[in-house]
């Protein structure tokens, strides 16, 4: 029978197994999801299946570099306690080094790649069985530079926020790190205005225009007001236009100008951002255990 991509994804979400393993399991079990889970477990591929519905929003953001290549990766756990565990930290470092060495195309390719004779999927499932929590490689980015450039690497609060910058025109890593620290603090979305999508700008203009009209501003001056507010909006979201966090009398671009440098790109990961975290108080947790 034909196995849909939706069914493969559902099995992967439930078991943490790789896409190809999930597809094979569904083929072998004629598309029966429960039997496919059993198949994966029986073949040692889904040791972490019973933990797959838990929310993993803690963990660590980690950055490492070698020569002209660097990687930033976010790996999630369920609790901050496990994130501080030496075994988890060693796992994060090994995965980061593996990414740097193999440069997989995406997270799916990373899970299906081999590290020390086993797939990363198997490695992660074994770690789940050992550590006792759901673990998940959420995202990563690999950046490159030339000998004339510098990487800026900054991790805040032990990896709750991580920023990797590529600064061109200088080999001074301290300069690049200052820019990374700035990005960690002010959370810009873009490097410069030319990266901002036109649809986003049009939407912002429309919101600001309606806002001005609702404030009772005369329509003949609204457009001028809107353009002024759009400029301010761009200054807030573009890193080069933001007041430099270490010296608010100059922008980040002005700081870089003093170093005869420019920022080419940055990657900022904040641990667990965008993941819906389950909020439970202690009484509800106890009640839940009693009901079980």
């Amino acid at each position: 029978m034909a196995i849909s991509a939706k069914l493969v994804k559902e099995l992967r979400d439930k078991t943490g197994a790789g896409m190809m393993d999930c597809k094979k399991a569904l083929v072998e079990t004629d598309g029966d999801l429960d039997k496919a889970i059993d198949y994966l477990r029986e073949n040692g591929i889904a040791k972490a299946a019973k933990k797959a519905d838990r929310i993993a929003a803690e963990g660590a953001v980690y950055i490492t570099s070698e020569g002209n290549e660097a990687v930033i990766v976010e790996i999630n756990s369920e609790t901050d306690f496990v994130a501080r565990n030496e075994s988890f930290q060693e796992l994060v470092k090994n995965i980061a080094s593996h990414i740097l060495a193999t440069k997989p195309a995406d997270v799916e390719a990373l899970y299906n790649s081999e590290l020390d004779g086993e797939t990363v999927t198997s490695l992660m499932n074994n770690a789940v069985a050992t550590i006792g929590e759901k673990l998940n490689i959420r995202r990563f980015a690999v950046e490159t530079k030339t000998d004339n450039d510098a990487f800026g690497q900054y991790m805040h609060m032990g990896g709750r926020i991580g920023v990797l910058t590529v600064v061109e025109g200088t080999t001074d890593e301290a300069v690049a790190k200052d820019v990374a620290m700035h990005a960690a603090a002010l959370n810009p979305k873009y490097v410069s205005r030319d990266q901002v999508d036109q649809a986003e700008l049009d939407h912002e203009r429309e919101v600001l225009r309606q806002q001005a009209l609702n404030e009772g501003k005369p329509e003949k001056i609204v457009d001028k007001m809107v353009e002024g507010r759009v400029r301010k909006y761009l200054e807030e979201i573009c890193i080069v236009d933001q007041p430099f966090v270490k010296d608010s009398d100059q922008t980040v671009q002005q700081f870089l100008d003093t170093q005869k440098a420019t920022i080419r790109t940055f990657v900022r990961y904040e641990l667990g951002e965008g993941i819906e975290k389950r909020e439970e108080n202690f009484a509800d947790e106890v009640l839940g255990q009693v009901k079980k």
Side-chain angles (χ1 to χ4, degrees), residues 203-218:
H203 173 75
E204 188 65 19
R205 280 193 176 91
E206 183 58 35
V207 170
L208 291 172
R209 178 179 173 78
Q210 192 58 51
Q211 186 182 76
L213 291 172
N214 291 343
E215 290 171 355
K217 300 292 191 276

Side-chain angles (χ1 to χ4, degrees), residues 44-256:
I45 300 172
K47 298 175 184 177
K50 64 181 180 181
K51 298 181 175 67
D53 62 342
R54 297 184 184 176
I55 296 175
E58 294 295 332
V61 176
Y62 183 73
I63 306 169
T64 189
S65 63
E66 184 174 336
N68 287 335
E69 298 174 332
V71 62
I72 178 170
V73 60
E74 178 183 351
I75 300 182
N76 299 126
S77 62
E78 293 179 55
T79 65
D80 181 55
F81 177 78
V82 161
R84 298 194 301 269
N85 179 285
E86 287 187 13
S87 296
F88 176 80
Q89 293 175 359
E90 188 65 24
L91 174 70
V92 171
K93 291 177 182 178
N94 287 342
I95 294 293
S97 296
H98 176 63
I99 294 170
L100 202 56
T102 61
K103 300 175 190 60
D106 50 30
V107 172
E108 181 65 36
L110 172 59
Y111 268 107
N112 288 326
S113 65
E114 286 200 2
L115 172 58
D116 294 333
E118 63 178 327
T119 64
V120 171
T121 295
S122 175
L123 179 71
M124 292 294 289
N125 283 340
N126 288 335
V128 169
T130 301
I131 293 173
E133 283 193 7
K134 179 182 178 181
L135 305 176
N136 179 56
I137 304 172
R138 187 183 184 199
R139 52 185 173 172
F140 69 87
V142 177
E143 298 294 342
T144 61
K145 68 176 185 66
T146 72
D147 291 339
N148 299 318
D149 310 324
F151 286 130
Q153 304 176 45
Y154 178 70
M155 291 189 291
H156 184 64
M157 294 178 64
R160 296 201 70 83
I161 298 175
V163 181
L164 172 63
T165 60
V166 182
V167 173
E168 298 178 328
T170 180
T171 57
D172 190 340
E173 292 181 356
V175 171
K177 184 176 181 180
D178 280 346
V179 178
M181 290 175 64
H182 171 95
L186 269 67
N187 192 17
K189 293 176 64 178
Y190 305 99
V191 170
S192 58
R193 301 180 184 199
D194 57 4
Q195 292 184 344
V196 183
D197 185 71
Q198 187 61 45
E200 180 178 348
L201 280 179
D202 291 343
H203 173 75
E204 188 65 19
R205 280 193 176 91
E206 183 58 35
V207 170
L208 291 172
R209 178 179 173 78
Q210 192 58 51
Q211 186 182 76
L213 291 172
N214 291 343
E215 290 171 355
K217 300 292 191 276
E219 190 161 354
K220 62 182 180 182
I221 68 167
V222 163
D223 288 341
K224 188 174 181 179
M225 287 182 60
V226 166
E227 288 310 307
R229 292 181 179 182
V230 166
R231 283 194 296 273
K232 183 172 178 57
Y233 171 71
L234 288 169
E235 289 171 1
E236 291 173 352
I237 64 173
C238 298
I239 190 170
V240 294
D241 293 323
Q242 292 179 331
F244 185 37
V245 73
K246 294 184 74 172
D247 179 6
S248 59
D249 289 335
Q250 60 180 338
T251 65
V252 171
Q253 184 60 62
Q254 289 169 334
F255 162 69
L256 288 169

Side-chain angles (χ1 to χ4, degrees), residues 1-28:
M1 65 172 292
I3 303 298
S4 69
K6 182 179 179 181
L7 192 59
V8 173
K9 182 179 184 301
E10 185 177 355
L11 180 58
R12 184 184 173 216
D13 290 342
K14 286 180 177 293
T15 64
M19 184 176 291
M20 297 307 296
D21 288 326
C22 289
K23 186 172 183 179
K24 181 180 178 181
L26 288 164
V27 169
E28 292 292 329

